[in-house]
Amino acid sequence: MTRTGRGRLKAARLSPRDVAHVGSSGLRSRPMRVVLSALGIAIGIATMISVVGISASSQAQLLRELDKLGTNLLVASPGESMFAGEEVKLPEESVGMVGRIKGVQDVGATADLNATVRRNEKVDEGDTGGIAVKATTAGLLRVLRGEVGSGRWLNAATGRYPSVVLGHVSAERLGVTEPGQQVWLGDRYFTVTGILDPLPLAPEIERSALVGWEGAKRLLGFDGHPTSVYERSTDAAVPDVRKVMAATIDPQNPQNVKVTDPSSALRAKAATEGAFSSLLLGLGGIALLVGGVGVANTMIISVLERRYEIGLRRSLGATRGQIRIQFVTESLMLSGLGGLAGVALGATATGVYAHSGGLPWVVPLWAVGGGFGATLVIGTVAGLYPAVRASRLSPTLALHAA
């Protein structure tokens, strides 16, 4: 207490250091209760941070794949005929015609073949493992920006003979682990010359056995009509190429040609990566609110247990405002500790998930700042009622209750 010029007593002001000291005194005296109360806040914040971080890491990985694979790939395939039951085929000259479109850089094609591939001739013909057999042009791998994991891609020589390249999924299903092994394709053995790495923009190739265009004609009765034509153009030319691609392939019936953009699936996936995360984010918010209720309950019990302390401070001159500040500060500290622990746990969980999945570790700063800010808001709200209740205690009643 200090004395004013007219002899009246005036309560001394608490410095920020004093506020921090009195606010932390209650926490230091009850460490186990503090840990359990802060745990609820920590779980809520950790859930929110990890959900946002995992979603952001997955999006970053998808965007990284898009940057690597490019968004300038278009695929033409047979559409639906106007006449029911009529089979639509792309012209044999489709590859060359697409290659003459302005802005097109690379063109490749595949064609579905009426053949099966098995580990050997003793395997039942119906047991194909979902593996398709396709004829392919030599330029396909360059168009798809794919890589051969082991062995070699088909060339002008191997593409004319019983040679096959397997997608990585088809190789796993056939039990082929290295080039040089043979598989039963059609009615004869084909030698595996290569196994491809994953192709995110062409998952159908991953589940296929690819034979050379000329070899398919000579050995498997291929008629020369492609099933899918892949083209890679400059980024600026993509809209124009898409407009004329169908009419270029089939000028008389452009409606029979369907043009698609494989990268749109990855873009859509990246854009909607957080859709399911919203539900988990909401659950994290609920956990955070439950933690806030736990903090409020802890603070109310603290007020009831410390009536003697409060009454003593009031009798020594502490004002109601100072009592309120003490308990609000204590609530803020309790929530802040939980928030810091939650941010650390959430960031760690994101790091473990990203490392295990080979993803970049991304924890948005807005999520960290927003999550910690939410704990401070909840701590303030949770501490208001206990603080007001403590400030209203009469010094006489508090000491009498002791």
Side-chain angles (χ1 to χ4, degrees):
M1 303 289 288
T2 59
R3 188 176 297 275
T4 64
R6 297 183 179 181
R8 296 173 58 186
L9 294 176
K10 181 180 179 181
R13 291 185 177 181
L14 294 177
S15 66
R17 181 178 180 181
D18 294 331
V19 171
H21 179 75
V22 297
S24 62
S25 60
L27 303 182
R28 294 194 303 269
S29 62
R30 299 167 179 82
M32 183 55 66
R33 184 182 297 173
V34 168
V35 171
L36 294 177
S37 299
L39 185 61
I41 295 287
I43 291 174
I45 291 297
T47 302
M48 298 175 72
I49 295 294
S50 58
V51 166
V52 173
I54 290 172
S55 176
S57 298
S58 299
Q59 286 181 334
Q61 177 65 15
L62 287 172
L63 293 175
R64 179 182 293 180
E65 287 185 6
L66 278 173
D67 289 338
K68 177 183 177 182
L69 300 173
T71 57
N72 55 350
L73 177 69
L74 296 176
V75 181
S77 57
E80 296 182 1
S81 173
M82 297 176 59
F83 304 99
E86 182 179 350
E87 183 183 4
V88 176
K89 290 186 177 182
L90 299 181
E92 294 184 47
E93 304 81 11
S94 297
V95 174
M97 296 170 72
V98 171
R100 289 191 287 270
I101 298 176
K102 183 179 180 180
V104 172
Q105 297 173 322
D106 293 306
V107 184
T110 62
D112 295 335
L113 302 178
N114 186 23
T116 60
V117 58
R118 291 162 284 163
R119 191 66 182 87
N120 54 57
E121 74 275 18
K122 297 181 180 180
V123 177
D124 186 83
E125 187 174 353
D127 187 10
T128 63
I131 303 173
V133 179
K134 296 178 181 287
T136 179
T137 60
L140 178 69
L141 195 64
R142 183 174 62 254
V143 177
L144 297 179
R145 294 182 181 174
E147 295 181 359
V148 180
S150 58
R152 293 182 178 276
W153 177 246
L154 297 167
N155 54 39
T158 58
R160 295 181 57 86
Y161 297 99
S163 302
V164 61
V165 171
L166 301 177
H168 83 285
V169 174
S170 58
E172 290 176 358
R173 293 177 180 177
L174 289 170
V176 176
T177 57
E178 59 184 4
Q181 296 178 311
Q182 292 187 319
V183 293
W184 185 260
L185 198 158
D187 59 356
R188 69 184 68 198
Y189 277 103
F190 276 62
T191 301
V192 177
T193 61
I195 300 174
L196 300 179
D197 282 339
L199 292 168
L201 289 185
E204 68 279 5
I205 303 299
E206 298 176 347
R207 295 162 176 80
S208 300
L210 305 171
V211 299
W213 201 263
E214 295 302 322
K217 289 181 178 180
R218 191 165 62 87
L219 303 173
L220 300 173
F222 173 43
D223 61 5
H225 290 273
T227 304
S228 299
V229 177
Y230 301 81
E231 71 82 26
R232 181 82 67 171
S233 56
T234 60
D235 292 333
V238 171
D240 294 333
V241 173
R242 184 162 192 164
K243 290 178 183 178
V244 303
M245 192 170 179
T248 301
I249 292 175
D250 193 344
Q252 295 181 343
N253 299 290
Q255 71 279 358
N256 290 346
V257 180
K258 179 175 63 175
V259 179
T260 57
D261 176 9
S263 63
S264 61
L266 282 179
R267 289 199 299 270
K269 187 176 180 181
T272 59
E273 186 65 35
F276 181 70
S277 299
S278 299
L279 174 61
L280 298 178
L281 196 60
L283 294 177
I286 293 174
L288 187 58
L289 290 176
V290 172
V293 173
V295 171
N297 183 57
T298 298
M299 296 305 301
I300 290 174
I301 294 175
S302 180
V303 169
L304 294 177
E305 291 180 343
R306 295 159 64 188
R307 298 179 72 189
Y308 175 77
E309 173 194 332
I310 297 168
L312 181 60
R313 290 198 63 217
R314 293 279 285 120
S315 65
L316 293 176
T319 65
R320 289 185 174 183
Q322 291 172 344
I323 298 297
R324 285 194 293 268
I325 290 175
Q326 173 186 349
F327 281 89
V328 169
T329 302
E330 186 173 327
S331 178
L332 276 172
M333 288 184 172
L334 180 56
S335 299
L337 289 174
L340 289 175
V343 168
L345 288 174
T348 301
T350 301
V352 171
Y353 178 86
H355 179 72
S356 62
L359 305 176
W361 181 26
V362 180
V363 179
L365 291 178
W366 66 264
V368 175
F372 187 71
T375 63
L376 298 182
V377 172
I378 287 178
T380 302
V381 174
L384 284 177
Y385 174 71
V388 171
R389 182 168 179 172
S391 67
R392 289 178 178 176
L393 287 176
S394 168
T396 304
L397 290 176
L399 289 173
H400 180 71

